[in-house]
Amino acid sequence: DAKTTQPTSMDCAEGRAANLPCNHSTISGNEYVYWYRQIHSQGPQYIIHGLKNNETNEMASLIITEDRKSSTLILPHATLRDTAVYYCIVRSYGGSQGNLIFGKGTKLSVKP
Amino acid sequence: GAGVSQSPSNKVTEKGKDVELRCDPISGHTALYWYRQSLGQGLEFLIYFQGNSAPDKSGLPSDRFSAERTGGSVSTLTIQRTQQEDSAVYLCASSTSGSSYNEQFFGPGTRLTVL
């Protein structure tokens, strides 16, 4: 699976959009971009995933660049409960294994 | 519906003792994963089950670690002769199958402290 690079930490004001970047310059054609987050003292939680088209669900939006070498997770109206470590993970599609390879992630602090 | 549950939530043990950690996956999920997270570190994959078999044990750090799954459901992670470096949060996750595009649902973890 391709390696990802994320900033160590970010701050965001409550109510504002949080934009979390991720670089995955070595991504290959059959690899998806996944985002999970881990709120303090909890297990990780799935947020969203995508291949090349932008995706949106009730939690967030995922914007993937045309060359697929980077992506941005957008929390449109961040709340204090969104304070967590956010992990960007690139995974091969359709493989029979499926374990997640976590990096260090981005610690997002939402401030009042 | 019920999510992934793990027990105990906290375990304190003395160095050299054996411990067993339990994971109850979501009903019907055939794939089950164990990870661990040491203080200030990212999550580290340990072992993957598809049904009752474990096609990938490559993440187990030593032969003191073993895991089994019975009835395609409950899994137990056993650590023998615990060492202080085994102290970590042990997380279990399950998914509908082992295919890599399936969302994994994580339990709350077991915090293991080895004195």
Side-chain angles (χ1 to χ4, degrees):
Chain A
D1 291 335
K3 180 180 172 63
T4 62
T5 304
Q6 300 177 251
T8 303
S9 64
M10 294 182 64
D11 290 343
C12 178
E14 187 178 19
R16 304 297 294 270
N19 297 282
L20 293 94
C22 179
N23 286 320
H24 30 79
S25 58
T26 60
I27 194 170
S28 60
N30 68 341
E31 290 181 319
Y32 277 64
V33 180
Y34 281 75
W35 285 82
Y36 279 74
R37 74 178 182 183
Q38 187 174 23
I39 296 170
H40 183 61
S41 297
Q42 297 183 21
Q45 175 191 25
Y46 166 82
I47 301 173
I48 198 168
H49 74 279
L51 181 63
K52 56 182 178 180
N53 296 322
N54 298 337
E55 302 289 343
T56 295
N57 63 21
E58 65 278 4
M59 289 183 69
S61 295
L62 175 60
I63 308 298
I64 302 174
T65 58
E66 191 170 344
D67 63 7
R68 304 208 321 121
K69 294 187 176 185
S70 65
S71 60
T72 301
L73 179 74
I74 301 172
L75 308 178
H77 305 288
T79 71
L80 299 179
R81 289 176 296 179
D82 292 322
T83 292
V85 178
Y86 287 77
Y87 297 98
C88 170
I89 300 168
V90 173
R91 306 172 69 196
S92 298
Y93 177 82
S96 60
Q97 176 67 11
N99 60 283
L100 297 166
I101 300 174
F102 289 85
K104 298 290 188 184
T106 295
K107 181 174 173 55
L108 175 68
S109 298
V110 180
K111 301 181 183 298
Chain B
V4 177
S5 61
Q6 294 185 245
S7 60
S9 55
N10 283 283
K11 176 72 176 178
V12 180
T13 191
E14 294 179 347
K15 178 182 173 181
K17 295 288 181 67
D18 298 351
V19 295
E20 286 189 351
L21 311 180
R22 177 186 168 107
C23 172
D24 283 87
I26 293 172
S27 177
H29 280 193
T30 61
L32 185 147
Y33 307 82
W34 283 97
Y35 298 83
R36 75 173 176 181
Q37 187 168 32
S38 303
L39 186 63
Q41 301 297 311
L43 286 90
E44 172 190 14
F45 165 73
L46 297 179
I47 187 170
Y48 155 63
F49 284 92
Q50 181 58 44
N52 291 336
S53 64
D56 188 354
K57 307 178 183 178
S58 63
L60 295 178
S62 77
D63 59 8
R64 296 186 295 104
F65 288 71
S66 63
E68 66 175 12
R69 189 178 185 196
T70 56
S73 181
V74 172
S75 177
T76 302
L77 177 69
T78 301
I79 309 173
Q80 295 178 310
R81 305 180 302 283
T82 52
Q83 303 295 312
Q84 289 182 333
E85 61 263 27
D86 299 335
S87 295
V89 176
Y90 289 81
L91 290 153
C92 174
S94 70
S95 67
T96 53
S97 78
S99 294
S100 59
Y101 48 81
N102 288 323
E103 174 185 352
Q104 291 186 19
F105 295 84
F106 283 79
T110 293
R111 181 176 297 278
L112 175 66
T113 304
V114 182
L115 302 177

